[in-house]
Amino acid sequence: MATRLQFENSCEIGVFSKLTNAYCLVAIGGSENFYSTFESELADVIPVVKTSIGGSRIIGRLCAGNKKGLLVPHTITDQELQHLRNSLPDQVVVQRLDERLSALGNCIACNDHVALTHTDLDKETEEMITDVLGVEVFRQTIAGNLLVGSYCAFSNRGGLVHPHTSIEDLDELSTLLQVPLVAGTVNRGSEVIAAGMIVNDWTAFCGSDTTATELSVIESVFKLREAQPTAIVDEMRKSLIDSYV
Amino acid sequence: MEEEAGMFRVHQTIGSVLCCKCGIPMAPNAANMCVKCLRSEVDITEGLQKHVIILHCPECDTYLQPPRTWIKAQLESKELLTFCVKRLKNLSKVKLVHAEFVWTEPHSKRIKVKLRVQKEVLNGAILEQTYIVEYVQQDHMCDSCSRVQANPDQWVAAIQLRQHVSHRRTFFYLEQLILRHDAAARAIKIKQMDQGIDFFFANRSHAVKFLEFLGKVAPIKSRHDKQLVSHDPKSNNYNYKYTFSVEICPICREDLICLPPKVVVSLGNLGPLVLCTKVSNNIILLDPSTLRHCFMDADQYWRVSFKSLLSSRQLVEYIILDVEALSSEVNVGGSKYALADAQVARVSDFGKNDKIFTIKTHLGHLLNPGDYALGYDLYGANSNDIELDKYKGFSLPDVILIRKSYEEKHQRKRGKPRHWKLKSLNMEVDSSTRGRIDEEKMYSEYEEFLKDLEENPEMRFNISLYRNKEYQHSEVASMTDGEDVPSVPLEELLADLELNDEDNDDESMKG
């Protein structure tokens, strides 16, 4: 189920938050509305952690991670690093990277199995990603843009990419990521997908400017409708009936 | 990005995304909205004029471009389109791509123009939109038409052209010159007056232009005056009537002149009796006894302003009895002359008495015994000239011959139409002076003028002659004599502007 929300009157919520299957990071905002939306959705399932990285609030774009680990840039302070290590579950490895391209969220897009990275990333960084996140790394561009982390958002079940991506590129990426991909927009025609929305396997959050069409596209490609509790029940009933004969 | 040099480049097909508003599949664009949604969001014609009032003058079919210009344009023409687009304000904010008319009834007083404009919206997407502007046409007479309506005879500038001589030859010639150069195209009225012509113009600058034209073709002096007609104290506009008084010098071709002593000295002792051979904007004077000539331009003439002694009206016919050449043919200022001694007698005396004059003449190259010539009879004339009296002890020649006469030959041709004709200006004849102008005198003067044209090729230089269609070339040739009457060669004639298949006479009649 996709939810629409705003961070301090901005629709670019992907900039101020990070969502994975194991945890959720949220920036420190003026009002508590942002945090409380996440809490109401996710609190019983995964921890929702308020943090800053290097004193800034654009944490969504500075760090990259999945359920196995979290990579943070060298600009993070020791206290913040310690805070993250304390708040996140033990199986999540928090690793600090010494990378020239420090906006890791813009350079790396990943789910639990595959990662797409900026083509100019260091070799050591790539090795780190493989180690910490436990993923296969591919250097790619999306619709000619190097910042793969900004122009696509994907989970284990589907992905949304920049609207100008050609069909050949779409096929190629889809083969690499092994998930269905669709080209679309978010926040009323904005092309910067990852800045406008955050997603994991069962839920997604979008900026409040997102139109109904965009929302339906997101829900269909990330297969969020099936994540409804009622849908799960229906599936169970079908299997029960099957066995009735 | 991949380099294309030798690398394999995959063919990129643009995928389709859903319009973020309406959800229909479309090709991605900068706004990621389908055109209809974009149009519903953004109206680039906001703030542009859709309704304009233009003023139209029904008399002259012109449209007002403020503050003062009236532009002539037909309905649905390019000029009207340009005018309509110019009248739109704020059009600089968008880019105009195309404009065309939408048909409306001509009497509906509405003009509709469909415009296509482009503007950049949202994030770099260029939107194109068509819209219609309606022009309401209001009728309003333009200034010139209203002035004409108020008083059709209203003129602003007038040129009064005068020449104080007793004949109208100059004016016939001027009329042809004006027609040839189309100088009086802007005159609203031309009136024939006693001893001159009046030209009326609607604009002072037209009158000045005509005045300058006159200055180039005739030796004139002019003065100008103006009269206040109205005065608007608020805007300080003054309306005047301008009058130019122009006088042409009274010396004409073939006049005999006695120069005042001062002029004789200033011209280098050019004998007191001179002939005027050519008048353009200068006067050329020829001394028949020494074959010297000189130029005098308008300023010089008007400083001394002498009058002529005898004019071509007073020419008398002579018969040549004997010619003896004194000098060979010389070329004086473009014309040929030869000094000769001649014995002549007046035609009126011939056969009656034995009065024979022995004279010197400058027409030695033309005359043969038995020819007729026209000349001034100084022997019999009673000249009452102040200048002549100043010359004590100066002996006047008895006769001064001017030109050869073709009177006999003309007798044969009298009554037969010429094969060329002239056009004439549209002149009003002043009814008040009708009594003084003698119709027959005018007619005979005109005939003389036409004969003059035939005999003098250099006079024809500046005049357009037209082929006379009514002329039937008579086979009864009176051209069997050795010497022909001078006539206008066919090559000089202009065909009147009509598309006719005339077979050209190849015959050229040369004088």
Side-chain angles (χ1 to χ4, degrees):
Chain A
M1 212 29 247
T3 323
R4 281 187 253 204
L5 72 163
Q6 275 188 324
F7 178 81
E8 285 185 0
N9 222 18
S10 160
C11 299
E12 310 292 333
I13 55 163
V15 174
F16 302 102
S17 56
K18 188 108 208 131
L19 181 62
T20 67
N21 286 329
Y23 55 88
C24 176
L25 300 176
V26 175
I28 302 166
S31 77
E32 285 296 306
N33 284 339
F34 194 56
Y35 179 69
S36 61
T37 320
F38 282 107
E39 261 204 313
S40 58
E41 275 286 323
L42 306 167
D44 18 344
V45 193
I46 52 175
V48 182
V49 181
K50 268 204 216 170
T51 181
S52 65
I53 293 183
S56 76
R57 301 193 292 175
I58 53 168
I59 58 171
R61 302 291 93 220
L62 291 178
C63 63
N66 58 13
K67 71 176 184 201
K68 300 175 206 161
L70 176 67
L71 296 167
V72 288
H74 60 87
T75 53
I76 196 168
T77 63
D78 291 330
Q79 287 100 312
E80 288 159 353
L81 192 55
Q82 197 53 45
H83 171 69
L84 279 173
R85 288 218 174 99
N86 293 341
S87 325
L88 293 178
D90 294 330
Q91 64 265 42
V92 178
V93 180
V94 182
Q95 180 62 41
R96 180 201 238 157
L97 283 182
D98 245 331
E99 165 61 59
R100 180 181 65 97
L101 305 167
S102 58
L104 300 174
N106 285 338
C107 298
I108 305 167
C110 60
N111 63 7
D112 292 332
H113 311 289
V114 185
L116 292 177
T117 62
H118 192 293
T119 53
D120 297 339
L121 229 50
D122 293 343
K123 208 70 178 93
E124 299 93 64
T125 312
E126 195 185 321
E127 284 163 12
M128 277 293 214
I129 299 171
T130 325
D131 289 336
V132 173
L133 300 181
V135 291
E136 212 182 326
V137 175
F138 298 104
R139 290 171 189 254
Q140 270 293 333
T141 61
I142 294 186
N145 292 305
L146 292 169
L147 298 176
V148 289
S150 313
Y151 289 104
C152 79
F154 60 97
S155 71
N156 294 321
R157 311 182 67 178
L160 187 64
V161 293
H162 188 288
H164 288 164
T165 314
S166 66
I167 298 194
E168 288 82 11
D169 273 356
L170 215 53
D171 288 338
E172 187 187 338
L173 287 168
S174 191
T175 333
L176 287 176
L177 302 175
Q178 291 296 308
V179 292
L181 292 178
V182 89
T185 64
V186 80
N187 275 343
R188 206 164 235 275
S190 165
E191 294 159 345
V192 193
I193 311 292
M197 60 169 285
I198 50 175
V199 65
N200 70 6
D201 285 347
W202 67 86
T203 184
F205 296 89
C206 310
S208 56
D209 273 351
T210 312
T211 60
T213 318
E214 288 165 340
L215 218 52
S216 72
V217 168
I218 288 167
E219 283 182 359
S220 73
V221 79
F222 289 109
K223 302 194 181 50
L224 300 173
R225 291 199 196 99
E226 292 85 66
Q228 292 280 1
T230 47
I232 296 172
V233 167
D234 278 333
E235 291 227 18
M236 280 175 67
R237 200 173 281 139
K238 271 193 211 155
S239 53
L240 282 169
I241 291 170
D242 256 26
S243 64
Y244 175 73
V245 177
Chain B
M1 286 300 285
E2 313 131 37
E3 283 164 43
E4 289 170 77
M7 284 199 82
F8 171 69
R9 209 156 181 264
V10 187
H11 173 252
Q12 309 281 341
T13 332
I14 310 289
S16 74
V17 290
L18 299 184
C19 163
C20 66
K21 267 191 94 175
C22 57
I24 62 166
M26 55 164 231
N29 61 32
N32 291 315
M33 276 199 251
C34 65
V35 185
K36 293 204 182 96
C37 292
L38 201 54
R39 284 228 178 100
S40 67
E41 288 273 307
V42 184
D43 180 19
I44 54 177
T45 64
E46 200 180 348
L48 297 177
Q49 273 181 310
K50 305 266 172 50
H51 199 83
V52 185
I53 296 179
I54 56 177
L55 295 176
H56 169 245
C57 173
E59 300 287 319
C60 50
D61 202 18
T62 50
Y63 295 87
L64 175 66
Q65 186 159 40
R68 247 185 245 202
T69 352
W70 288 84
I71 298 190
K72 188 162 175 70
Q74 302 275 354
L75 276 181
E76 308 231 336
S77 66
K78 245 193 297 186
E79 296 92 41
L80 190 59
L81 194 59
T82 328
F83 168 75
C84 289
V85 170
K86 267 202 209 141
R87 296 287 286 128
L88 290 175
K89 298 180 226 171
N90 289 341
L91 212 53
S92 51
K93 291 194 190 141
V94 294
K95 187 173 134 187
L96 182 64
V97 174
H98 182 72
E100 62 183 5
F101 281 111
V102 175
W103 187 81
T104 49
E105 285 278 344
H107 62 79
S108 66
K109 306 238 176 275
R110 302 280 186 277
I111 299 175
K112 286 205 179 133
V113 178
K114 193 191 285 192
L115 296 166
R116 219 186 313 155
V117 290
Q118 278 181 356
K119 194 174 169 184
E120 195 184 296
V121 293
L122 293 185
N123 28 336
I126 296 183
L127 191 62
E128 191 179 90
Q129 195 172 335
T130 43
Y131 71 109
I132 293 186
V133 182
E134 189 180 2
Y135 295 86
V136 177
Q137 186 184 316
Q138 281 181 357
D139 280 338
H140 183 101
M141 287 239 287
C142 65
D143 292 330
S144 44
C145 287
S146 47
R147 223 175 278 144
V148 167
Q149 286 276 341
N151 184 359
D153 286 332
Q154 189 83 316
W155 52 268
V156 175
I159 292 189
Q160 291 170 323
L161 187 64
R162 300 282 181 270
Q163 188 186 31
H164 298 298
V165 283
S166 50
H167 58 84
R168 289 193 73 92
R169 268 194 319 171
T170 321
F171 293 109
F172 293 139
Y173 182 61
L174 259 181
E175 183 186 351
Q176 296 306 317
L177 267 184
I178 291 170
L179 278 169
R180 165 85 164 213
H181 292 98
D182 216 11
R186 307 285 217 137
I188 51 183
K189 193 162 69 149
I190 304 174
K191 213 158 147 189
Q192 197 179 25
M193 305 289 278
D194 173 43
Q195 289 208 327
I197 309 179
D198 280 352
F199 296 85
F200 298 96
F201 299 89
N203 201 320
R204 185 177 181 269
S205 48
H206 300 156
V208 169
K209 189 173 176 196
F210 186 71
L211 187 65
E212 283 180 7
F213 166 75
L214 284 177
K216 288 203 187 76
V217 298
I220 58 169
K221 83 170 167 187
S222 74
R223 52 168 289 171
H224 59 95
D225 294 293
K226 60 186 184 202
Q227 179 189 20
L228 184 65
V229 171
S230 69
H231 159 60
D232 180 359
K234 292 231 175 76
S235 63
N236 271 340
N237 277 344
Y238 296 83
N239 285 337
Y240 290 100
K241 270 193 178 184
Y242 303 92
T243 315
F244 296 84
S245 186
V246 181
E247 195 187 324
I248 306 183
C249 109
I251 308 287
C252 301
R253 270 183 67 242
E254 296 174 353
D255 276 0
L256 185 68
I257 306 160
C258 183
L259 295 171
K262 285 219 176 83
V263 181
V264 167
V265 164
S266 74
L267 291 176
N269 247 344
L270 199 67
L273 279 182
V274 286
L275 289 173
C276 174
T277 47
K278 193 169 168 191
V279 176
S280 61
N281 54 337
N282 308 322
I283 313 172
I284 305 185
L285 301 167
L286 173 77
D287 184 350
S289 49
T290 59
L291 287 187
R292 274 176 55 205
H293 73 295
C294 79
F295 285 86
M296 248 200 167
D297 71 2
D299 290 330
Q300 278 179 304
Y301 171 77
W302 286 109
R303 246 175 274 150
V304 280
S305 70
F306 46 80
K307 289 212 177 22
S308 56
L309 190 62
L310 290 170
S311 81
S312 54
R313 274 250 196 104
Q314 286 122 340
L315 283 172
V316 174
E317 205 171 345
Y318 289 88
I319 181 164
I320 316 288
L321 299 169
D322 192 14
V323 179
E324 228 181 81
L326 280 179
S327 82
S328 57
E329 212 170 275
V330 287
N331 196 329
V332 179
S335 327
K336 295 197 186 63
Y337 299 111
L339 266 183
D341 268 336
Q343 277 197 336
V344 298
R346 284 187 286 204
V347 165
S348 49
D349 286 344
F350 198 56
K352 291 194 196 111
N353 55 31
D354 269 327
K355 208 102 187 72
I356 295 181
F357 304 100
T358 313
I359 55 155
K360 242 204 226 173
T361 171
H362 63 288
L363 299 174
H365 62 303
L366 286 177
L367 299 171
N368 296 307
D371 275 344
Y372 289 85
L374 291 167
Y376 291 114
D377 184 9
L378 289 165
Y379 172 78
N382 192 3
S383 2
N384 199 4
D385 203 68
I386 314 168
E387 310 293 343
L388 209 48
D389 295 339
K390 288 196 189 142
Y391 294 98
K392 303 271 188 298
F394 173 68
S395 59
L396 286 172
D398 293 327
V399 182
I400 298 190
L401 294 175
I402 301 295
R403 59 182 152 110
K404 195 162 158 181
S405 159
Y406 299 98
E407 201 52 48
E408 292 266 311
K409 317 257 169 31
H410 275 303
Q411 299 262 1
R412 266 180 256 160
K413 277 197 91 184
R414 188 156 295 163
K416 293 203 186 121
R418 295 187 167 79
H419 67 288
W420 52 272
K421 63 178 164 84
L422 295 170
K423 288 200 169 153
S424 61
L425 270 180
N426 195 2
M427 274 199 263
E428 246 179 59
V429 182
D430 196 13
S431 46
S432 61
T433 61
R434 194 162 250 282
R436 275 188 251 160
I437 295 175
D438 194 357
E439 284 282 316
E440 216 190 280
K441 196 170 80 149
M442 283 277 282
Y443 182 70
S444 61
E445 275 190 358
Y446 197 63
E447 266 296 308
E448 294 241 355
F449 170 65
L450 292 178
K451 264 190 237 161
D452 227 358
L453 275 185
E454 277 185 334
E455 290 169 17
N456 292 299
E458 47 182 65
M459 249 187 105
R460 293 198 291 266
F461 176 65
N462 249 340
I463 297 182
S464 317
L465 299 161
Y466 296 92
R467 208 179 286 176
N468 187 359
K469 281 180 213 66
E470 280 102 50
Y471 174 72
Q472 249 81 318
H473 175 64
S474 71
E475 288 300 329
V476 180
S478 47
M479 330 288 166
T480 47
D481 312 348
E483 215 185 301
D484 274 330
V485 178
S487 193
V488 181
L490 218 55
E491 299 93 59
E492 286 189 20
L493 300 182
L494 299 172
D496 229 338
L497 226 67
E498 265 175 74
L499 299 171
N500 253 337
D501 290 304
E502 265 188 26
D503 35 344
N504 296 324
D505 321 11
D506 257 33
E507 206 195 278
S508 70
M509 308 194 295
K510 219 196 146 266

